[in-house]
Amino acid sequence: MWRMRVIKSLIRNIVLFIMNLIYVIKDVVLRLQGYVRLEEIKIPSYYTRPRPEKLDSKKKFYKKYKTLPQIIINENKYLVDGFCTYFLAAVWKWEYVKVRRVRSVKR
């Protein structure tokens, strides 16, 4: 009996290890392709809910091209442009979004 428990525990640990490995590999591959986890993007306080017509336009874009436009973030991961895309990705519970990074202009 105890052998069966040990075997089940071993199999469970192997499966968990493989699942974690898959998660890490997926994360690395997506980051290499220019994606960032949605939760990493910081939203400045001046952004408010997008207008319905802008959201409808992005939804039509998504229906036609099966993707949303890139989000632009700065080196500190603050949103610079693409709040509608961010908003829809959050509503649709996407884990990753395609981003383009820009440097902030220092004055």
Side-chain angles (χ1 to χ4, degrees):
M1 271 317 209
W2 66 270
R3 288 181 186 162
M4 191 57 113
R5 273 184 271 153
V6 170
I7 291 171
K8 283 182 180 180
S9 176
L10 183 62
I11 290 172
R12 188 176 315 115
N13 288 337
I14 291 170
V15 168
L16 286 173
F17 175 77
I18 291 171
M19 288 173 63
N20 285 334
L21 186 61
I22 289 170
Y23 177 81
V24 169
I25 291 170
K26 173 185 164 188
D27 190 66
V28 168
V29 168
L30 285 171
R31 287 178 188 279
L32 288 172
Q33 293 176 343
Y35 287 83
V36 169
R37 292 178 60 81
L38 191 66
E39 64 191 24
E40 293 178 27
I41 298 173
K42 301 169 193 156
I43 306 299
S45 59
Y46 53 82
Y47 280 103
T48 60
R49 184 182 173 93
R51 294 189 321 268
E53 55 271 10
K54 285 189 82 174
L55 290 174
D56 288 341
S57 173
K58 292 289 181 195
K59 287 177 186 177
K60 287 177 185 173
F61 183 93
Y62 181 77
K63 276 187 173 181
K64 184 173 183 178
Y65 298 106
K66 304 298 182 222
T67 189
L68 286 173
Q70 291 180 352
I71 291 174
I72 300 173
I73 60 174
N74 68 13
E75 65 273 4
N76 297 318
K77 296 186 180 177
Y78 275 95
L79 183 74
V80 174
D81 191 25
F83 185 65
C84 282
T85 298
Y86 174 89
F87 186 85
L88 285 176
V91 168
W92 294 340
K93 297 183 183 346
W94 287 10
E95 196 173 353
Y96 291 86
V97 289
K98 182 85 168 174
V99 298
R100 190 177 75 191
R101 296 173 193 272
V102 296
R103 276 195 260 159
S104 297
V105 176
K106 296 185 181 179
R107 296 177 191 213

